[in-house]
Amino acid sequence: MTSPRRPDPKPTTTLWRPTGPEELALVRASGRRAWPPRLPEQPIFYPVLNEDYAIRIARDRNVKHSGVGHVTRFEVDSAFLARYPVQQAGGRTILELWVPAEELDEFNVIQPRIPAL
């Protein structure tokens, strides 16, 4: 007897998010299921497409601001991400996705659990 064929998994895109301890605590409080809402002065949520760039941000911004920086890595459905054009925020490897703050709830539903750090 042949077992039914499982559908191929949806293609995903790896994203990284540099984060400080406050944001990381909120992610953990959500059960690692959601990025926290943006503050009024944060109109976008920006995951990045390059681990080296995420490390630089964590080191240069988060450590300077709060004394520690973390980098998370997570996978998101590629078809969903197609709605967000890649933004080049500097050199050719400085690439981000800009998710408007008002769309973060939908983004959180699409992406699976944020891996533990």
Side-chain angles (χ1 to χ4, degrees):
M1 184 164 145
T2 322
S3 33
R5 182 182 163 146
R6 290 185 179 169
D8 291 332
K10 292 182 179 182
T12 61
T13 299
T14 302
L15 299 173
W16 289 267
R17 172 74 181 161
T19 184
E22 298 88 5
E23 184 176 63
L24 187 58
L26 293 170
V27 168
R28 286 181 173 145
S30 77
R32 298 187 342 256
R33 295 192 182 278
W35 296 102
R38 303 294 83 197
L39 300 172
E41 66 273 11
Q42 299 171 322
I44 61 169
F45 171 73
Y46 67 95
V48 304
L49 283 83
N50 178 294
E51 184 178 24
D52 290 335
Y53 177 44
I55 290 168
R56 275 187 281 162
I57 294 170
R59 180 191 63 221
D60 298 346
R61 293 185 197 162
N62 298 113
V63 171
K64 188 179 288 186
H65 175 72
S66 60
V68 67
H70 303 276
V71 173
T72 58
R73 177 184 172 184
F74 57 102
E75 302 285 327
V76 180
D77 179 78
S78 297
F80 174 80
L81 290 180
R83 69 172 66 182
Y84 305 109
V86 174
Q87 304 292 327
Q88 189 170 5
R92 67 174 216 274
T93 63
I94 300 178
L95 306 174
E96 304 173 345
L97 294 180
W98 293 355
V99 178
E102 61 272 10
E103 295 179 25
L104 189 54
D105 285 344
E106 185 178 6
F107 182 91
N108 281 331
V109 169
I110 294 298
Q111 60 107 33
R113 234 176 138 144
I114 301 160
L117 292 178

